[in-house]
């Protein structure tokens, strides 16, 4: 048996096509949704993430503002930047790329973002609304996972879902969204005593631990849907040999590049799972798609417009 591969790029393209229509409608009434991305310092991975978010804005014709304050920016200085963006009418969504340098109080910054412009869904008010299942901005990665499940017609209602990871930005909102979609949810983390005991029972297994190839075939119930959120760049050849033992092409590519991006799920899980998202090309493209979707949603909501269910559903 070999798992159905759930391509995030194909689903992203569907969402972009729907968003393009919405954006054209908004344009016809003189509205151009705009995203402001704030990247403090020059962390190479963050630079790549922000670049791809800006590129997505450009592809879809969204307005974008890209601010790059230096690594020694203070909390007060960043707060001033966020407040200015809060007050700008051409900015519908604000994203402050994490992680922030250690001298900056990240919580204060995230709380300063106007909840109506919080397209990352990190503001405590929006998290509270999510808990109560009220309309809100939801974190992009878990929202993207729900889109993958919905558009791939994976039944969620009544399913046993296991989430590995309990972070505020992935694991917790993921568990809430699955619960709101009527799955029975178990959340595992680094102190879980016997991870396999839980993962083997899952109809839907979401891995968001940031541990390369943590989930191996023996951890997965045959036929289960496995969603791999993890993205880690590995450089250790021995680790690559283990992960790509049955994948000579990817091992060759690793040797050529000296590194590879891998997920939390060992590629051999494809032999056991019923459906599996690849890394790269699975959840990652959806995270950016949902950021675009949230920006368009924020633009509509700020102007008192309803949002079409298709691209804004959190269920
Ligand atoms: P995080 O804040 O480091 O949280 C990781 C979570 O995994 C924690 O709850 C941790 O438990 C748990 N964990 C770590 N090792 C574990 C183990 N061996 N067994 C069980 N649980 C374990 O990371 P995050 O921000 O949630 O991100 C998770 C992964 O998703 C990372 O690889 C990240 O790069 C990736 N990610 C991808 C996208 C995308 O668009 N594809 C977006 C966001 C994040 P404790 O709470 O006990 O420490």
């Amino acid at each position: 048996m070999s798992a159905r591969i759930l391509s995030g790029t194909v689903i992203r393209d569907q969402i972009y096509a729907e968003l393009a229509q919405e954006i054209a409608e908004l344009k016809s009434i003189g509205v151009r949704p705009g995203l402001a991305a704030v990247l403090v310092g020059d962390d190479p991975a963050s630079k790549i993430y922000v670049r791809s978010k800006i590129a997505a804005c450009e592809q879809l014709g969204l307005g974008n503002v890209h601010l790059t304050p230096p690594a020694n920016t203070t909390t007060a200085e960043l707060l001033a930047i966020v407040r200015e963006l809060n007050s700008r009418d051409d900015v519908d969504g604000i994203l402050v790329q994490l992680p922030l340098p250690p001298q900056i109080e990240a919580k204060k910054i995230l709380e300063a973002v106007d909840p109506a412009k919080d397209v990352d869904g990190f503001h405590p008010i929006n998290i509270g609304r999510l808990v109560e299942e009220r309309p809100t901005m939801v974190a992009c990665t878990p929202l993207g996972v729900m889109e993958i499940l919905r558009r791939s017609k994976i039944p969620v209602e009544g399913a046993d879902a296991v989430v590995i990871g309990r972070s505020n930005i992935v694991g917790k909102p993921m568990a809430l969204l699955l619960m709101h979609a009527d799955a029975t949810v178990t959340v595992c983390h680094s102190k879980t005593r016997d991870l396999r005991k839980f993962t083997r029972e899952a109809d839907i297994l979401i891995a968001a631990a940031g541990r390369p190839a943590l989930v191996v075939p023996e951890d997965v119930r045959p036929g289960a849907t496995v969603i791999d959120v993890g993205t880690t760049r590995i450089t250790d050849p021995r680790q690559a040999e283990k992960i790509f033992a049955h994948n000579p092409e990817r091992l060759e590519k690793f040797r050529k590049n000296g590194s590879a991006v891998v997920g939390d799920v060992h590629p051999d899980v494809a032999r056991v799972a019923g459906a599996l998202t690849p890394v790269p090309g699975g959840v990652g493209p959806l995270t950016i798609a949902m950021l675009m979707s949230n920006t368009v949603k924020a633009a509509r909501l700020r102007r008192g417009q309803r949002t079409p269910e298709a691209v804004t559903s959190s269920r």
Side-chain angles (χ1 to χ4, degrees), residues 85-305:
L85 293 171
N86 282 344
S87 67
R88 275 176 68 160
D89 199 44
D90 62 332
V91 170
D92 296 290
I94 300 171
L95 110 87
V96 181
Q97 185 64 42
L98 301 178
L100 288 167
Q103 80 279 6
I104 294 181
E105 291 169 79
K107 278 191 177 161
K108 267 194 182 168
I109 302 298
L110 297 183
E111 282 180 27
V113 174
D114 178 349
K117 296 189 176 187
D118 172 37
V119 282
D120 263 336
F122 294 164
H123 194 288
I125 286 188
N126 286 330
I127 293 167
R129 286 189 181 136
L130 173 63
V131 171
E132 291 197 351
E133 212 179 344
R134 291 205 254 163
T136 187
M137 290 291 163
V138 180
C140 300
T141 302
L143 199 54
V145 171
M146 294 309 286
E147 285 297 321
I148 294 177
L149 295 173
R150 189 170 72 82
R151 289 171 190 257
S152 309
K153 305 207 166 10
I154 307 287
V156 177
E157 185 184 322
D160 289 338
V162 172
V163 180
I164 310 177
R166 57 175 166 181
S167 71
N168 289 336
I169 63 173
V170 187
K172 281 181 199 161
M174 187 74 254
L176 286 165
L177 289 176
L178 288 164
M179 186 171 33
H180 296 163
D182 296 326
T184 303
V185 184
T186 305
V187 180
C188 300
H189 45 76
S190 69
K191 305 290 187 296
T192 299
R193 264 204 307 255
D194 183 357
L195 188 63
R196 182 169 292 174
K197 181 175 106 185
F198 298 100
T199 60
R200 278 197 63 85
E201 294 299 318
D203 300 310
I204 299 172
L205 176 60
I206 317 271
R211 298 281 178 269
L214 171 71
V215 176
V216 295
E218 295 72 27
D219 297 324
V220 175
R221 194 177 63 71
T225 296
V226 181
I227 306 286
D228 192 354
V229 179
T231 41
T232 309
R233 184 169 289 281
I234 58 162
T235 52
D236 177 357
R238 275 171 308 176
Q239 194 177 20
E241 277 161 25
K242 273 191 194 159
I243 295 176
F244 300 136
H246 301 112
N247 206 325
E249 271 175 34
R250 284 196 73 183
L251 187 57
E252 191 49 43
K253 217 169 153 192
F254 170 88
R255 288 189 175 130
K256 225 166 92 189
N257 297 339
S259 71
V261 172
V262 298
D264 287 354
V265 177
H266 195 290
D268 288 356
V269 166
R271 288 192 273 117
V272 182
L276 174 66
T277 58
V279 174
V283 174
L286 263 296
T287 296
I288 296 184
M290 298 328 289
L291 179 70
M292 300 299 112
S293 168
N294 276 351
T295 303
V296 173
K297 176 178 171 175
R300 280 186 180 280
L301 291 176
R302 280 209 312 129
R303 290 163 184 84
Q305 287 200 340

